Amino acid sequence: GFIGEGSSGTVLYSYATGNVSSDTGGDGSGTGGFIGRNTDGTTISESYATGNVEGYTRVGGFAGANGGNIENAYARGSATGHDNVGGFAGRCGSDISNSYSTGAVTGHSNFGGFLGTSQGCTVSGSYWDSETSGLETSAAGEAKTSEELKTQSTFTDWNFTTIWALNQNANDGYPSLMRLSEDGDSDNVPNSAEENGPNYGDANNDGVSDKHQENVTALANATNGKYIALETSCGAGTSNKEVSVSLENSSNKDAAYDYSEGLVGFKAKC
């Protein structure tokens, strides 16, 4: 997928979309949508895989075999193998946190919706789709319905401020990673546009990039090319939706005022 074997270091903000297949089955093998074998000393964070994976043993939608640390990651592809097969990881002996998988899982022995086999693996805040995977059981992780995995309240202790975003029009409604999304905060304004906004992409000067804040939006006014910034606040979880700037409609023009700079349209979710 992305890495064959990782033995040290940290991998951030990466993804793999291609299908992966292997017919090897030795003790050290592993076939995964993102990494085949993640050994002790390697940390993978804020990354994902969407390809279908097929192998013999230690087959996973994200990792074939995990001996390192994986956090804030997801797998959307199917996993097919003989044994040690999981929607996210085939076999794990280390840590996985705040991750999920949705792909169909097919195996002969030791297979599960999220994890095929656990050898002392610590899995926390991680889930699999019991409907799309076709499985209600797993060596670790929590089973959720498709609807539950598209609902933010399901993901206790996940960071939906700077890491994760939930948009029904992106990633089939499942959580996506802000840094790897074209519209990380789901406000209808691309990351690239907000990056070029006032104050180097931090229009409200709070130290957090606008593209990572759901309640702050910076965008260019199409009528004059100047940037505008919109910040809303109506309690915890406030987010801007469908933000746009357009000229006043001539058929419904306000006779008392001239909105020559255009009108800002948006919805605020509280």
Side-chain angles (χ1 to χ4, degrees), residues 65-260:
N66 178 48
N69 178 49
I70 302 175
E71 59 187 14
N72 296 309
Y74 68 86
R76 296 293 316 278
S78 63
T80 304
H82 186 265
D83 67 339
N84 297 314
V85 185
F88 189 86
R91 188 174 74 173
C92 173
S94 191
D95 302 320
I96 301 173
S97 62
N98 294 8
S99 300
Y100 75 89
S101 62
T102 65
V105 179
T106 305
H108 178 73
S109 61
N110 300 317
F111 59 97
F114 185 83
L115 178 63
T117 300
S118 172
Q119 294 185 318
C121 185
T122 300
V123 177
S124 60
S126 298
Y127 314 94
W128 83 92
D129 191 320
S130 59
E131 295 178 279
T132 56
S133 69
L135 294 176
E136 294 285 349
T137 60
S138 175
E142 297 182 47
K144 299 293 181 182
T145 65
S146 299
E147 182 177 353
E148 288 174 321
L149 284 181
K150 298 176 183 182
T151 305
Q152 185 171 324
S153 60
T154 296
F155 304 92
T156 306
D157 298 327
W158 281 33
N159 182 343
F160 278 91
T161 301
T162 60
I163 296 178
W164 293 97
L166 198 60
N167 180 354
Q168 65 179 357
N169 297 317
N171 201 26
D172 296 326
Y174 293 102
S176 58
L177 293 161
M178 285 187 176
R179 293 180 184 273
L180 298 177
S181 173
E182 293 183 0
D183 180 10
D185 53 3
S186 307
D187 57 6
N188 198 43
V189 180
N191 288 348
S192 57
E194 295 201 80
E195 289 171 353
N196 293 321
N199 197 32
Y200 304 99
D202 180 15
N204 62 342
N205 197 33
D206 64 351
V208 180
S209 174
D210 298 336
K211 68 180 181 180
H212 293 153
Q213 296 189 85
E214 292 189 332
N215 69 315
V216 180
T217 302
L219 73 162
N221 185 341
T223 65
N224 57 19
K226 297 179 181 179
Y227 261 84
I228 65 169
L230 170 69
E231 180 175 4
T232 59
S233 179
C234 54
T238 303
S239 60
N240 298 336
K241 302 294 181 184
E242 302 177 25
V243 182
S244 64
V245 181
S246 61
L247 292 174
E248 187 179 10
N249 190 331
S250 59
S251 63
N252 191 28
K253 190 174 179 62
D254 188 340
Y257 297 95
D258 180 15
Y259 300 100
S260 59

Side-chain angles (χ1 to χ4, degrees), residues 2-3 10-17 34 43-50 62 72-74 177 179-180:
F2 186 78
I3 302 171
T10 300
V11 180
L12 297 169
Y13 322 136
S14 302
Y15 63 91
T17 60
F34 186 88
T43 294
I44 301 173
S45 181
E46 294 184 57
S47 300
Y48 70 84
T50 59
F62 189 88
N72 296 309
Y74 68 86
L177 293 161
R179 293 180 184 273
L180 298 177

Side-chain angles (χ1 to χ4, degrees), residues 36-54:
R37 186 184 182 203
N38 186 31
T39 60
D40 185 28
T42 301
T43 294
I44 301 173
S45 181
E46 294 184 57
S47 300
Y48 70 84
T50 59
N52 298 322
V53 185
E54 185 174 359

